Each structure stands twice: as C-alpha cells, then as structure tokens.
Amino acid sequence: MGGLKKPQSPAAPSPAARAAPASPPAALAGAPRFQSFDLLATLVAVVRTNGVVLFANAALEDALGSSRRTIEGSQFPDCFTEPLILQNALEGAGSNEFAALRYDAWLRRLNHEPLPVHVVVAQTDTPGEAIVELLPLEQQAKQDREERLMDQAQANKELIRNLAHEIKNPLGGIRGAAQLLQMEIDKELTEYTQVIIHEADRLQTLVDRLLAPHRRPHLVGDVNIHEVCERVRTLIVAEFPRGLRVMRDYDISIPDFRGDREQLIQALLNIAHNAAYALAERIAAGDGQISFRTRIARQVTFGKQRYRLALELHVIDNGPGVPDSIKDRIFYPLVSGREGGSGLGLTLAQTFVQQHHGLIECDSVPGRTDFKILIPLP
C-alpha cells in the first residue's frame, strides 16, 4: 500500500457497530484454542472472514482500550479508519486468493490518537477463519534500530580487536628502538627519546583497554543488581562529593541472576561517569543529579529474541543531553562528547552488557538523558 496519511479527525472504535452473525456460544467456543496468543506482545485477533472477531489477545485489548468481552463478537474492520481494506483482505483470505497479505493502516483507539500499524492477514487451518496480526510501526522501527545497533556493535568489536593488534606490534618496536637510541645519544637529546617512549606507553595503555574485554574471562556468578548499583553509587559519590546527588529508585523484587558482577559494575560505572562529567556545570551550580532506577520488564523483545522477564536499569541525569552531532554514534569506539575523553567508556559498557545477552539504549533531550540497560532474567 502507499504511504499512510494521518486521519484528520480520529474517532473512538465502534466494535459493536454491526451485529455479529455468529452466536456468542460459537464465538466463545474457539477461544481456548487461541489462549497462547496472550503471551505475545504483538496485537493479534482471530477473525471470521465476514469480519466477526472470535478472539482478541491481551495486547490488542490494551491497544484498543476495550475489554475482550466487548471486542469479541464485534466487526473488526470497524476498528480501523479505513475498514474497507480489511474487509477486502478477509474476503480474499476466505476465497483463497492469497495465503497472507500485508499492508499499513491506522487502528482506532478509545480516547487516543489512531495508532499506525503494519497489518498481516493470514489464513488458518479452519475454513472461513483468519488471523490478523498488527505490529505497531513504532515497535517495528525500534526492533530495526536494535538490530542495527547489535550488528554495528559486532562490527565494532571486530574492528577494535583487529586494529589494536595491528597497532600493538609496531609499538613495541618503536619503544625498543627509542630505548636503544637513548643509550647512544648525548644526554641533552634524551628528552626527545623520552617523548617517544612516553607516547608509545600511552598508546600501549589505550590498546590494552581496547583489548581488555576480549582478554578477560567471563566470570559467572550470582549477581544482585542493587549491590552493583550501590557499589557504583559509592564510587561516584566519593569522586564527586559536592554538588551532585545520586538518587535510588529500586524495585527490590528483582531476583538475582547469573552474570559477571565485575563487568556489570564497570559497565554501570562507565555510564555513570559519563553522566557525571556531562553534569559539570550543574555540579558547579550545586544541582547535579543522577538517578539509578530498576524495574522488571515483562514480555519484552530485544536482540531479536523475546524474554518473559528482563531487568530494566536506568541511569538518568539532568545534564545538557547528548550532542545531536554524536547521538547516533555514541556507542562507536573513540567517539566522545567531551574534551579529553577517550571515547571508550560507552563502547566497553555496551560490550559488557552484550556479553550478558543484553542491550543498552539511550534517550536524550536537553535536561534529561536516560541510559537504559536491558538484561534477561531467569
């Protein structure tokens, strides 16, 4: 279909606009077959090819703002701003014109703006019945962004590892040659060889930091995320004792999980450090603030996989926000938003979190930057 045009006057859904030809007992009889759809985050309806809803999953209830009792038995095309498109699609499914059809549409919602969705209409094994799957376009964009981030992170890791090894070998030769030269030249010239040795050592330290995540073994044990947060909080408060408040907002019901405690401490510390440095002006004014917030996320999809439970850890600051010029590149190696920054903190944090099958996201506007860490829970 062509590009979507937002409707001018969104209206509330009218799921009972037309009488359902099927009797309530017939509609309810099929419901137990579809209960597993309630486990999905996508919006799913099982519909007769005449448009009558046999089953609506919990995600669709939430999106429409109507109860399942109200939706089931109603005409599903009436829930769209252009009902005729779905009617034609269902008729095509009923007459075996296609196995599946995709198009974009606007879903009406009670007391909300219409929701742009990608609609997939597919036949079931039962004649006269179809499954309509609705994927919110914002969610699709989010999944695409996550996939790009994961692919880019993998490419970054390979680039860093290869580049670091290529730099490491010549550095040893340069440093050794400078030391030999220093023994042969006059003492008043040794300051130049010292510069060479010092800069070679500095680059060696940088290379070691680049290679560190790939060298260090992954030490797995039981991790309490709030112990990790408290350790990082203590370090940040000790480094910035004045002008900065580090707030806690914990969900104490979050269970322990298997992971590398030291890696998670380092990842969280790198993010918190970045936040504190970005807050320099606020700290000088005495009103800098960083918040650690933990929550449980349910039925979430990231990294191309779906998880029943996940840790959601936010690091929120009231700083100026991530500069627009680097917003899309903040997790790239050697990209820094401050003078003198190495540009490795967020790259290493991302590597450590990904080793826990997790993901880091960033949402930043002036006055509020939120780094969100997602890690699967058992």
Side-chain angles (χ1 to χ4, degrees):
M1 303 296 294
L4 290 178
K5 294 183 179 179
K6 190 169 182 178
Q8 297 300 314
S9 301
S14 53
R18 284 178 280 180
S23 63
L28 294 173
R33 297 166 47 207
F34 313 121
Q35 292 301 323
S36 59
F37 289 141
D38 277 335
L39 301 176
L40 300 178
T42 50
L43 321 180
V44 176
V46 182
V47 185
R48 292 193 187 278
T49 52
N50 62 6
V52 176
V53 179
L54 295 177
F55 177 82
N57 75 341
L60 183 57
E61 282 187 280
D62 292 341
L64 289 176
S66 299
S67 69
R68 180 176 297 169
R69 185 186 297 270
T70 303
I71 301 168
E72 291 175 355
S74 70
Q75 279 285 334
F76 197 45
D78 289 341
C79 294
F80 292 83
T81 58
E82 298 181 66
L84 186 60
I85 299 176
L86 181 57
Q87 288 176 25
N88 292 338
L90 292 172
E91 289 172 6
S95 59
N96 293 316
E97 291 180 16
F98 56 83
L101 177 70
R102 295 171 177 267
Y103 68 95
D104 293 339
W106 289 89
L107 182 70
R108 297 177 186 271
R109 297 187 294 168
L110 189 62
N111 300 323
H112 287 85
E113 291 283 315
L115 176 69
V117 291
H118 183 68
V119 183
V120 182
V121 181
Q123 297 173 326
T124 70
D125 294 337
T126 303
E129 185 179 276
I131 292 179
V132 182
E133 182 180 5
L134 312 176
L135 186 63
L137 293 180
E138 292 96 334
Q139 180 181 338
Q140 181 65 54
K142 178 176 178 291
Q143 290 178 0
D144 292 344
R145 187 171 62 251
E146 288 176 357
E147 290 183 11
R148 287 197 304 271
L149 188 62
M150 298 287 283
D151 292 342
Q152 183 62 54
Q154 185 60 38
N156 285 344
K157 280 199 293 186
E158 293 300 322
L159 173 64
I160 289 172
R161 187 158 44 199
N162 294 336
L163 183 61
H165 280 298
E166 289 297 320
I167 294 173
K168 187 177 179 63
N169 293 331
L171 271 182
I174 292 171
R175 191 182 194 284
Q179 288 177 313
L180 291 174
L181 184 61
Q182 185 171 268
M183 292 186 291
E184 300 294 332
I185 61 176
D186 296 335
K187 286 187 177 181
E188 60 268 19
L189 298 176
T190 57
E191 64 177 295
Y192 301 111
T193 55
Q194 283 296 318
V195 169
I196 297 172
I197 293 170
H198 174 75
E199 290 302 303
D201 288 343
R202 185 177 65 81
L203 286 174
Q204 181 66 54
T205 301
L206 177 62
V207 168
D208 288 341
R209 288 187 64 193
L210 288 169
L211 290 173
H214 311 290
R215 285 176 169 171
R216 185 176 178 275
H218 194 49
L219 303 177
V220 177
D222 289 334
V223 176
N224 182 310
I225 194 60
H226 298 126
E227 290 179 359
V228 171
C229 292
E230 286 301 295
R231 171 75 177 277
V232 173
R233 182 181 181 277
T234 299
L235 293 172
I236 293 296
V237 169
E239 187 171 349
F240 301 90
R242 294 183 179 84
L244 176 64
R245 297 175 63 203
V246 183
M247 314 291 291
R248 309 175 180 95
D249 181 4
Y250 297 158
D251 179 351
I252 59 173
S253 69
I254 295 175
D256 291 357
F257 59 93
R258 301 290 289 173
D260 187 322
R261 184 172 179 271
E262 293 304 316
Q263 281 191 354
L264 291 174
I265 288 174
Q266 189 63 55
L268 186 58
L269 183 60
N270 287 358
I271 294 172
H273 256 146
N274 270 20
Y277 290 135
L279 287 168
E281 292 185 9
R282 289 272 194 174
I283 291 173
D287 64 349
Q289 182 173 305
I290 297 175
S291 297
F292 293 152
R293 187 174 75 192
T294 60
R295 293 291 185 270
I296 291 180
R298 303 179 188 277
Q299 302 297 340
V300 292
T301 301
F302 57 89
K304 301 182 182 179
Q305 292 192 44
R306 181 165 184 77
Y307 300 98
R308 187 177 62 87
L309 294 175
L311 163 68
E312 195 175 283
L313 170 57
H314 296 261
V315 180
I316 304 169
D317 69 69
N318 63 340
V322 178
D324 289 338
S325 59
I326 63 169
K327 256 185 183 176
D328 296 332
R329 300 180 294 117
I330 56 172
F331 293 106
Y332 288 14
L334 309 179
V335 174
S336 177
R338 63 184 178 88
E339 187 70 29
S342 68
L344 292 177
L346 292 180
T347 303
L348 295 178
Q350 184 187 57
T351 298
F352 291 144
V353 170
Q354 286 182 342
Q355 287 179 355
H356 290 78
H357 309 289
L359 181 76
I360 306 179
E361 297 178 337
C362 177
D363 181 20
S364 182
V365 294
R368 189 180 191 275
T369 297
D370 180 359
F371 279 90
K372 179 171 71 174
I373 297 174
L374 290 165
I375 294 177
L377 291 175

